Amino acid sequence: LKAVAHIRDEEPQKAESICQPYVQNEQFLANDHLAPAFVIASVRAVFSKKSHVGARELLERIQELRQDLTDLQQISISRYLGSVHLKDGNYTAAFKLLRGARDLAERAAPERMSATLHLDLANVAIASGDLVKAVSWIQQALLQLDKLDDVELQKVKAKINLATLYIRLGRLEEARREYLALRGHEIVRATKQYALIVDLNLAITLKRLKEPEESLQVYHQVLERAEKE
């Protein structure tokens, strides 16, 4: 029960310390109704430490042992497995798992999960060098996120990534449009990191658009803000 509470409260490290002895027990994995949740909590904790050691084996084992996984559990397990393959550079396997999770999410999960999986697929496309496809995945995610409440931060991150892809693809007018819109966003204005990323990339975009005066103006605004802080 403590592990379930920590999972619910988004406390992965505490959940891991409770779950770890259980997920190493084959009988527990095969028979206990809490086993899938414990496995997912353990893997989440591993990922929170910027690692994925042992995650693939555990995820594949619970899939092998259990035929009673709920749709949401299967989506989470496939998503984590896809992320493991992405980290290992196995882009084809990552894409297959994440697309399968996306397809299931569109039938059986809240739309926010489907949007998140589109963003995961974009990460695979970026890693494999298919920037055009990455743009498409992010655009699909944003169409879904636009229908939802309480997802503004996720939308901001997605739009920053989209604008960065536009720069890399030479789609500079589209990049400028995104960055100008982001500059006025409340979350960007309130977050130093996002404001800096947006302004510096906007300045780069303007310079490449052969608008040096406008580019310098943005750079100066960045410096003035830094001096005040």
Side-chain angles (χ1 to χ4, degrees), residues 20 29 63 69 82 97 99 101 108 119 145 163 175 182-183 197 214 224:
Q20 199 59 31
L29 291 178
Q63 281 187 320
L69 295 171
L97 283 158
R99 187 175 62 177
L119 295 174
L145 292 172
L182 282 163
R183 281 190 108 195
I197 290 171
E214 291 82 354
E224 288 172 5

Side-chain angles (χ1 to χ4, degrees), residues 1-202:
L1 292 176
K2 286 184 179 179
V4 173
H6 291 314
I7 296 167
R8 182 195 61 215
D9 296 336
E10 297 293 324
E11 296 178 305
Q13 299 301 328
K14 292 179 181 178
E16 181 188 30
S17 66
I18 297 171
C19 293
Q20 199 59 31
Y22 291 96
V23 299
Q24 294 174 354
N25 184 314
E26 192 86 352
Q27 283 293 107
F28 175 80
L29 291 178
N31 299 303
D32 198 289
H33 73 283
L34 288 175
F38 274 44
V39 167
I40 292 167
S42 294
V43 171
R44 182 184 302 169
V46 170
F47 271 65
S48 74
K49 295 184 291 188
K50 309 300 182 185
S51 173
H52 61 286
V53 175
R56 177 178 174 180
E57 292 78 7
L58 186 55
L59 291 164
E60 290 179 344
R61 189 64 182 142
I62 195 68
Q63 281 187 320
E64 179 184 344
L65 288 171
R66 302 298 290 261
Q67 304 301 314
D68 59 344
L69 295 171
T70 67
D71 288 337
L72 290 178
Q73 288 169 343
Q74 186 60 63
I75 290 167
S76 292
I77 289 168
S78 294
R79 185 179 180 224
Y80 278 121
L81 272 173
S83 296
V84 168
H85 283 292
L86 175 58
K87 290 174 184 291
D88 288 339
N90 300 323
Y91 303 134
T92 301
F95 176 77
K96 183 177 179 180
L97 283 158
L98 291 169
R99 187 175 62 177
R102 188 283 312 265
D103 292 345
L104 181 55
E106 289 190 334
R107 299 193 303 271
E111 195 155 20
R112 181 169 184 167
M113 176 58 75
S114 179
T116 298
L117 284 157
H118 278 115
L119 295 174
D120 290 340
L121 286 162
N123 290 334
V124 176
I126 292 168
S128 63
D130 191 347
L131 303 188
V132 173
K133 192 60 180 178
V135 165
S136 176
W137 289 126
I138 294 176
Q139 289 172 334
Q140 290 180 62
L142 286 169
L143 286 174
Q144 293 176 305
L145 292 172
D146 281 341
K147 304 174 189 176
L148 306 176
D149 297 323
D150 302 321
V151 292
E152 284 305 310
L153 179 57
Q154 194 173 11
K155 285 168 64 175
V156 164
K157 291 179 179 179
K159 288 180 178 180
I160 289 173
N161 289 337
L162 179 62
T164 303
L165 288 171
Y166 284 149
I167 292 179
R168 293 177 65 182
L169 289 166
R171 295 162 61 171
L172 300 178
E173 288 292 352
E174 291 166 287
R176 169 166 46 188
R177 184 173 63 248
E178 288 293 342
Y179 285 128
L180 288 174
L182 282 163
R183 281 190 108 195
H185 197 289
E186 181 180 355
I187 290 176
V188 174
R189 292 200 308 267
T191 310
K192 293 179 184 178
Q193 178 186 1
Y194 295 150
L196 182 62
I197 290 171
V198 168
D199 282 347
L200 290 179
N201 282 339
L202 175 60

